[in-house]
Amino acid sequence: MRQTDIGKKSRIAAALALLLLAVLTVFAIGIGSVYLPPQTVLRVLFGQADPASPEYIIVWNMRLSRVIASMFGGAALSLSGLLLQILFQNPIADPYILGISSGARLAVGIMLLGGVLAGFSVTNPWILFLGALAGALAVMVVMLLFSARVRSVTTLLIVGMMVGYFCSALVGLLVAFSDDNSIADFTRWTMGSFGLMTWPKIYVLVSVSSALFVVAFLMGKNLNALRMGEAYAKTMGVNTKALRIGIILVSGLLTAVVTAFAGLVSFIGMSVPHICRMLLKTDDSRALIPSCVVCGGIFGVGCDLISRTVIAPNELAIGTVTAYVGVPIVLYLLMKKNKHE
Amino acid sequence: MGQLRLEKLDIGYGGQPLIRQIDLAFLQGKMTCILGSNGAGKTTLLKTIARIIEPIGGRMTLGGEEIHRMSSLRYAREVSAVLTNRVELENSTGWDVVAMGRNPHTGFFGTLGEEDRRRVQESLEACDAWGLRDQIFAKMSDGQKQKILIARGLCQSTPVLLLDEPTSHLDIFYKMEVLKTLRTQCVQEGKTVICTLHEPDLAIKCCDQLVLVKGDQIIACGETGQVVQSGAMEQLYGFSSGGFDPVLGLAEFPAGSGKDVFFAGADEGTLSLFRQLVRMQKGFAAGVLHQNDLLWRIGQAMQVPMVGQQAYLPVSAEQAQQAFSLAARYDVIVAANLPDSPLVAENLQLIRRLEEAGKTVFRTEEFRRRLAEKE
């Protein structure tokens, strides 16, 4: 398949995916304890409903924030996964596997519970985000130090998983030591959920992740060169050191901004890039980045919808759903890949 | 574009020099081969020139300009590289991989223009790989992948092309294909090609300049013919006495040490008998052979005792006598089918004398049949 054809094909695919995302969003807003038909949802969204009406309150105060969060959260994690897969030259890399999400969660956990113990509560979403970023980058630095010494990528992934388990164990300790009603939300958050969103958090999530989508897209050409391996990228004039730092920052920021508000969300970062590669049959980052963003959005909204509807009025942790959907997909893709080889 | 020069260059990993004090000037528009045993640092040298790893000390210049002062993008327009690193692209086609080579020439988003597409096509065609353009790279054979990777290097449109072991893991057909392509690039496009090879015979056949790396230094560097004559090739591979013919670049298994067969003169069937006896680890000798005969060179590499005469001169009675005394010590004589020519009149005489002396004498063809029966 030549590049021109891919360009045409991915444009059609992009249009279809955006349409699917829009339809899914409308339905996701409509579905819940009170069902709102799509036309009602659209009427409310386009400002043709009475602000005092129950539909208006349900859409604006309850459902919309959650749908937006799951959309941008899914997109951010997918893109972070894609970038990490390119950085580590391994299709199984993702922010969850490499322990980056866990590091971010630990940092935020310490901040939140430390605050509870010290008698104040951290509510500023920017501070939560920066805390998560510190945790995410700390783990990435550890991983990079390992990757400089350990040549085997498999070993590296295992190290990442161990770092992740270690951070999770520390979070477990935090939870155990602060068994208190005031932190019910904290427990929900550690399990992973898009249901804890407030509008200020959404502003941070949307603004930061949107900016990073653009930054990642601008890195597309160099990311393509890096797909050939670092040595080849160097001979093609790419400043690989700067590019690596760029990838680390962007994927760290993306992971942090999701984890700060939604806790640990597994498998999206690994499955969505796989799905996009398979669907588009390309390695071209300039096509994969936007498609990961859109497919990640679809995946996030879909999984969140399932997590809050299957055992309503109770909720599943988002990771439960993403694992049910993500694990079979990843296994299927891996089997299919092995069959070719 | 200018000449690539290395001055007092120390190269290696982690501050540990692998090769020291390299002084080299690569011939412009020519093909240079870096030869050396495994682990000698050939790849390290190539990667240093490609700026994948930093030199430990010394200078590299291109057209008089210091290489490390050039931006990596500018250097990527001067020098491209084909490496042995595994390329893991699951969905890319031959075309996609080759088009990567345009990277240093395209704009911010890497969109290919008309000129870029033309170059991609030209490069694919130059490597006889146009038919692979729509095939998935990951599913190609090693030979096809190599063609595509070389096409990617060409597509970068640089005056200098570096190749690390471009022929390894390829069968002889593909090896020749690949080297032919590189030759064409030198001769017709004027590119400077620098490669490492594992096959000295191929290096001699296709490279204009040889650089021999042994231990931590360059033991020889120069025009191929001169390096071959200098005896550095034998030194490089550690063939102290025979075993290797530098002119042909051929290594031969040595003959056995027994006194089994003497070849009186040589004909078309003699070479295959030489090889068969070597396989059987039998010892043999020959005489009198002309020294321009291929058999002479191969016999020498096999370390076979031989009596020889200069090319185009008739075999002398003295040489025939020498051959006779040598032959006397061998069990069986194989008499060549010789023409009635003054050049080998003495050889015919030698065969008669050996028969008269009561030696067992077979004709070449007869002996070949007997060997076949025995096996």
Side-chain angles (χ1 to χ4, degrees):
Chain A
M1 196 65 54
R2 284 202 263 145
Q3 215 186 353
T4 39
D5 306 334
I6 279 181
K8 202 169 167 191
K9 247 180 66 176
S10 52
R11 269 195 287 281
I12 296 169
L16 285 175
L18 281 172
L19 190 67
L20 179 60
L21 180 61
V23 171
L24 185 65
T25 304
V26 172
F27 274 97
I29 294 172
I31 295 169
S33 53
V34 176
Y35 174 73
L36 302 175
Q39 55 271 32
T40 312
V41 173
L42 289 172
R43 223 181 51 231
V44 175
L45 284 180
F46 289 104
Q48 291 172 333
D50 175 8
S53 67
E55 296 92 1
Y56 187 94
I57 293 165
I58 289 173
V59 170
W60 285 101
N61 292 10
M62 297 162 73
R63 303 245 178 97
L64 184 60
S65 63
R66 182 160 187 164
V67 170
I68 291 177
S70 58
M71 186 191 299
F72 279 84
L77 289 175
S78 305
L79 182 53
S80 179
L82 177 71
L83 293 174
L84 290 169
Q85 286 167 17
I86 295 172
L87 179 68
F88 287 99
Q89 298 272 311
N90 189 305
I92 309 176
D94 96 330
Y96 173 69
I97 292 277
L98 291 173
I100 300 160
S101 300
S102 308
R105 183 177 69 163
L106 176 62
V108 176
I110 290 171
M111 253 168 47
L112 285 174
L113 288 179
V116 169
L117 293 178
F120 64 90
S121 68
V122 182
T123 49
N124 186 328
W126 286 104
I127 293 179
L128 286 174
F129 163 54
L130 289 177
L133 181 62
L137 291 181
V139 173
M140 289 197 98
V141 167
V142 170
M143 294 307 295
L144 281 169
L145 287 178
F146 266 105
S147 75
R149 283 171 182 73
V150 182
R151 282 274 147 240
S152 154
V153 181
T154 320
T155 315
L156 196 69
L157 291 179
I158 293 172
V159 170
M161 290 170 80
M162 291 305 122
V163 171
Y165 281 128
F166 183 69
C167 292
S168 297
L170 291 177
V171 170
L173 269 183
L174 286 179
V175 172
F177 275 108
S178 47
D179 199 355
D180 183 38
N181 276 343
S182 70
I183 58 148
D185 272 358
F186 178 76
T187 317
R188 233 177 116 202
W189 171 79
T190 58
M191 306 274 289
S193 169
F194 286 114
L196 304 158
M197 286 294 166
T198 56
W199 284 106
K201 287 180 183 174
I202 300 241
Y203 295 140
V204 176
L205 173 64
V206 170
S207 57
V208 170
S209 52
S210 304
L212 293 169
F213 297 159
V214 176
V215 172
F217 187 71
L218 297 182
M219 289 159 64
K221 177 185 166 180
N222 287 338
L223 288 173
N224 277 351
L226 195 62
R227 287 282 289 140
M228 295 271 304
E230 188 162 359
Y232 270 116
K234 278 186 182 173
T235 70
M236 288 190 268
V238 175
N239 182 343
T240 51
K241 207 178 263 177
L243 182 60
R244 283 176 84 104
I245 293 172
I247 296 176
I248 289 164
L249 283 177
V250 172
S251 56
L253 283 161
L254 284 167
T255 307
V257 79
V258 179
T259 312
F261 310 132
L264 212 58
V265 182
S266 55
F267 284 105
I268 292 185
M270 181 160 39
S271 3
V272 173
H274 262 300
I275 295 169
C276 293
R277 266 197 284 271
M278 282 291 177
L279 289 178
L280 295 181
K281 300 223 181 320
T282 181
D283 297 315
D284 189 340
S285 309
R286 295 166 303 174
L288 287 174
I289 290 169
S291 58
C292 271
V293 168
V294 177
C295 290
I298 295 171
F299 203 88
V301 173
C303 288
D304 183 58
L305 181 60
I306 296 169
S307 82
R308 63 187 166 88
T309 49
V310 278
I311 55 160
N314 291 324
E315 247 184 55
L316 291 169
I318 186 77
T320 314
V321 182
T322 53
Y324 273 116
V325 182
V327 171
I329 288 175
V330 170
L331 284 180
Y332 164 75
L333 294 175
L334 288 176
M335 304 257 268
K336 198 173 158 193
K337 193 170 168 246
N338 282 341
K339 215 159 63 182
H340 285 313
E341 286 164 358
Chain B
M1 173 178 165
Q3 194 174 39
L4 186 60
R5 277 176 170 280
L6 315 180
E7 293 165 41
K8 297 202 182 334
L9 195 72
D10 288 343
I11 61 163
Y13 285 99
Q16 206 71 6
L18 209 56
I19 311 178
R20 289 169 203 274
Q21 300 293 305
I22 304 168
D23 277 300
L24 273 182
F26 291 99
L27 297 176
Q28 243 176 298
K30 300 279 183 189
M31 190 159 165
T32 300
C33 178
I34 303 166
L35 282 172
S37 42
N38 289 326
K42 305 185 293 284
T43 299
T44 313
L45 177 55
L46 215 64
K47 284 188 171 172
T48 309
I49 300 171
R51 276 178 66 173
I52 295 167
I53 54 176
E54 293 283 315
I56 295 172
R59 268 159 51 96
M60 296 196 287
T61 56
L62 183 67
E65 196 178 342
E66 286 234 31
I67 283 173
H68 74 263
R69 294 236 179 99
M70 296 165 79
S71 78
S72 53
L73 190 63
R74 229 198 96 203
Y75 196 62
R77 291 177 188 152
E78 300 286 340
V79 178
S80 61
V82 179
L83 308 168
T84 51
N85 300 30
R86 260 184 76 115
V87 173
E88 311 223 14
L89 295 164
E90 43 179 326
N91 297 312
S92 299
T93 61
W95 171 281
D96 294 334
V97 177
V98 175
M100 292 265 205
R102 297 311 295 165
N103 200 290
H105 301 277
T106 53
F108 188 80
F109 287 102
T111 315
L112 296 183
E114 208 44 53
E115 160 82 2
D116 297 308
R117 286 168 194 286
R118 193 174 56 77
R119 296 277 187 157
V120 175
Q121 179 170 352
E122 277 173 8
S123 309
L124 276 163
E125 284 168 349
C127 294
D128 197 20
W130 180 241
L132 298 173
R133 65 190 182 280
D134 288 337
Q135 284 190 37
I136 298 294
F137 179 76
K139 293 180 187 166
M140 291 180 192
S141 72
D142 284 348
Q144 293 172 327
K145 279 184 180 170
Q146 193 61 8
K147 280 185 172 184
I148 291 294
L149 289 174
I150 292 174
R152 190 213 63 83
L154 294 181
C155 195
Q156 211 167 316
S157 308
T158 53
V160 180
L161 181 62
L162 308 174
L163 302 105
D164 191 13
E165 296 180 15
T167 59
S168 51
H169 309 301
L170 302 186
D171 62 39
I172 186 68
F173 174 78
Y174 271 118
K175 280 185 209 280
M176 297 303 278
E177 287 275 290
V178 160
L179 293 173
K180 228 163 34 188
T181 306
L182 298 179
R183 267 322 305 172
T184 309
Q185 289 301 314
C186 268
V187 175
Q188 287 176 14
E189 312 289 329
K191 287 204 192 226
T192 304
V193 176
I194 302 169
C195 64
T196 63
L197 288 177
H198 268 306
E199 304 89 346
D201 55 324
L202 295 180
I204 290 165
K205 283 170 200 160
C206 71
C207 296
D208 308 287
Q209 187 183 24
L210 292 183
V211 175
L212 310 191
V213 185
K214 183 170 188 167
D216 66 350
Q217 53 184 328
I218 307 280
I219 57 166
C221 163
E223 192 268 317
T224 302
Q226 287 168 5
V227 172
V228 166
Q229 294 293 329
S230 73
M233 295 281 276
E234 292 94 315
Q235 193 194 336
L236 176 70
Y237 291 107
F239 290 105
S240 45
S241 55
F244 182 78
D245 185 289
V247 174
L248 299 173
L250 273 187
E252 291 285 350
F253 296 106
S257 54
K259 303 269 184 278
D260 300 303
V261 183
F262 182 86
F263 289 89
D267 58 27
E268 286 95 29
T270 312
L271 177 57
S272 66
L273 284 177
F274 267 34
R275 292 216 189 281
Q276 197 169 351
L277 289 172
V278 163
R279 284 199 295 272
M280 296 163 76
Q281 302 194 325
K282 297 283 186 196
F284 55 94
V288 177
L289 303 185
H290 278 104
Q291 288 169 351
N292 63 332
D293 193 338
L294 181 64
L295 202 63
W296 176 263
R297 303 211 68 95
I298 291 178
Q300 276 194 324
M302 288 173 171
Q303 301 170 45
V304 174
M306 289 182 296
V307 181
Q309 167 62 305
Q310 274 180 44
Y312 309 115
L313 292 182
V315 173
S316 71
E318 201 177 310
Q319 286 159 343
Q321 179 53 42
Q322 258 181 48
F324 184 81
S325 348
L326 184 62
R329 284 179 257 146
Y330 283 77
D331 298 343
V332 174
I333 308 297
V334 176
N337 188 16
L338 296 171
D340 191 11
S341 146
L343 286 181
V344 290
E346 283 293 339
N347 272 354
L348 287 167
Q349 192 63 32
L350 169 69
I351 293 167
R352 263 194 298 279
R353 281 181 64 199
L354 286 165
E355 278 170 337
E356 281 161 16
K359 284 280 190 187
T360 319
V361 178
F362 296 105
R363 293 280 139 188
T364 308
E365 196 42 34
E366 205 181 337
F367 186 68
R368 195 188 57 75
R369 271 201 304 274
R370 281 184 62 94
L371 278 184
E373 276 163 25
K374 249 203 205 157
E375 285 191 335

